[in-house]
Amino acid sequence: RLLGAVCACAFSYTAHATTYNEVGDAGESILTAQSVPGGTTAISGSLSADADMYGFLWGGGAFQADTIGSTIDTQLFLFDSTGAGVWANDDCASSCGLQSLIFDAALAAGSYFIAVSSFNNDPLDGGAGLMFTDSFGGQYGPIDGDVLASWSGGGSSGSYTINISPTGVVPVPAAVWLFGSGLIGLVGIARRKKTA
């Protein structure tokens, strides 16, 4: 029964996928980013010539985020837990026009931040240099290992949606899986002691 309850709890985590709606104005740094709960399939918000950042836990594996359905020309940026750049995309061109797409076939488990901005509002490092190559079309990595310090500013205002897929959810954090595995192990030990 305990094993069934653990499995049911873990899988119900993904069964209730939802949209997270920006609260007020999401911050532009890892210290002011809004936290996105597990089970989120989309993030909905609006830009006022700024950038919005969201923190989330990733369980590892294929990761995709896009802004298809947004009303403005977007840019997407993925940062690790320290604020160092991972991936960026301005326009995904033929597949979604002026909207953005980030894909990583094997994104390592951990804490990440995703940021959305409108065209030409780019993340800057501590020396006010661009963190990513300012390029149209295609996904690109960071110029170096510097961390986010500020944004170049400007850009347009409008609403956006960040869709998270291909699983459609932010996976259960690794700690939850470890907890579940530990409970399963304890059940096994208890059964052995009972039969002995």
Side-chain angles (χ1 to χ4, degrees):
R1 284 187 204 159
L2 182 57
L3 175 58
V6 168
C7 290
C9 176
F11 290 109
S12 68
Y13 201 79
T14 59
H16 302 292
T18 59
T19 296
Y20 175 82
N21 294 303
E22 178 184 21
V23 178
D25 186 20
E28 295 185 313
S29 74
I30 64 172
L31 297 178
T32 59
Q34 293 186 7
S35 295
V36 175
T40 298
T41 57
I43 301 168
S44 179
S46 62
L47 294 172
S48 300
D50 62 350
D52 288 345
M53 288 190 77
Y54 299 92
F56 64 95
L57 294 174
W58 186 250
F63 173 82
Q64 180 175 312
D66 67 66
T67 57
I68 296 171
S70 299
T71 64
I72 54 175
D73 179 0
T74 60
Q75 299 184 113
L76 270 180
F77 303 94
L78 185 65
F79 301 91
D80 70 12
S81 61
T82 68
V86 178
W87 292 115
N89 178 258
D90 183 357
D91 302 329
C92 58
S94 60
S95 60
C96 55
L98 298 177
Q99 302 309 313
S100 309
L101 172 73
I102 290 177
F103 176 74
D104 191 320
L107 186 63
S111 297
Y112 292 92
F113 295 90
I114 193 157
V116 60
S117 70
S118 61
F119 167 69
N120 222 23
N121 185 3
D122 301 309
L124 305 176
D125 61 25
L130 289 173
M131 292 185 66
F132 297 92
T133 303
D134 198 4
S135 171
F136 299 110
Q139 179 170 299
Y140 40 96
I143 295 172
D144 52 37
D146 289 340
V147 298
L148 175 66
S150 62
W151 292 82
S152 61
S156 56
S157 300
S159 63
Y160 61 82
T161 300
I162 304 172
N163 304 296
I164 301 169
S165 58
T167 58
V169 296
V170 176
V172 177
V176 173
W177 291 113
L178 289 173
F179 175 73
S181 299
L183 283 177
I184 292 168
L186 289 173
V187 169
I189 292 169
R191 285 190 177 172
R192 282 192 212 142
K193 285 185 177 180
K194 193 173 186 180
T195 56

